[in-house]
């Protein structure tokens, strides 16, 4: 099983932070609300700790696999607001997750996610 599918299995088992063990040390995480990506395993793990606390009833509802990566379709809630999105996962040359891009809809859900994640990152001292 490749890193993207092991990541998915860990998340489905409720271990969102543990799922980051399948990321490369120099992972690039593209957020749907931030222009510049989060870079490096320590920063991305800190982000995933916030995600684990923020997302309510996170679940994958679809999966699409291709030669260059994987797309995982998810549903969750943040502050009671329903969120739908995809995780676009790209593997690096060593078979680890090297790039991770998240897209979220609708706009109102994206706003709620952005505000909640920023508050969590500030509370954890990850961003000022």
């Amino acid at each position: 099983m490749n890193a993207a599918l092991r990541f998915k299995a860990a998340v489905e088992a409720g271990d969102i932070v543990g799922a980051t063990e399948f990321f490369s040390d120099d992972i690039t995480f593209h957020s749907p609300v931030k222009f510049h990506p989060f870079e490096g395993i320590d920063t991305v793990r800190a982000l995933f700790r916030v995600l684990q606390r923020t997302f309510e009833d996170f679940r994958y509802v679809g999966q699409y696999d291709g030669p260059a990566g994987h797309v995982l379709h998810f549903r969750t809630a943040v502050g009671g607001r329903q969120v739908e999105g995809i995780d676009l996962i790209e593997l690096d040359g060593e078979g680890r997750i090297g790039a991770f891009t998240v897209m979220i809809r609708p706009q109102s859900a994206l706003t709620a996610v952005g505000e909640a994640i920023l508050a969590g990152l500030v509370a954890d001292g990850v961003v000022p």
Side-chain angles (χ1 to χ4, degrees), residues 2-21:
N2 71 38
L5 300 180
R6 291 193 313 257
F7 169 85
K8 178 182 178 236
V11 170
E12 288 176 333
D15 190 7
I16 293 174
V17 174
T20 63
E21 75 179 81

Side-chain angles (χ1 to χ4, degrees), residues 63-78:
Q63 175 179 325
Y64 310 94
D65 303 312
H70 304 270
V71 177
L72 302 176
H73 179 195
F74 66 84
R75 292 204 173 105
T76 189
V78 172

Side-chain angles (χ1 to χ4, degrees), residues 21-127:
E21 75 179 81
F22 306 110
F23 292 167
S24 67
D25 289 342
D26 61 348
I27 185 163
T28 301
F29 182 96
H30 299 277
S31 164
V33 296
K34 187 174 177 293
F35 181 76
H36 296 287
F38 293 93
E39 296 181 320
I41 190 64
D42 293 336
T43 301
V44 174
R45 278 198 177 120
L47 173 62
F48 271 73
R49 283 191 291 275
V50 173
L51 294 175
Q52 186 159 331
R53 294 192 316 260
T54 303
F55 288 156
E56 305 157 11
D57 187 32
F58 185 94
R59 66 209 176 281
Y60 284 118
V61 297
Q63 175 179 325
Y64 310 94
D65 303 312
H70 304 270
V71 177
L72 302 176
H73 179 195
F74 66 84
R75 292 204 173 105
T76 189
V78 172
R81 181 173 301 279
Q82 295 302 304
V83 178
E84 180 178 29
I86 62 166
D87 293 335
L88 173 59
I89 298 172
E90 299 172 64
L91 303 179
D92 65 14
E94 297 177 7
R96 300 184 64 72
I97 298 172
F100 197 106
T101 302
V102 178
M103 297 178 198
I104 291 177
R105 66 164 302 278
Q107 177 66 41
S108 58
L110 178 61
T111 301
V113 169
E115 291 170 355
I117 299 303
L118 178 59
L121 292 171
V122 169
D124 288 0
V126 178
V127 297

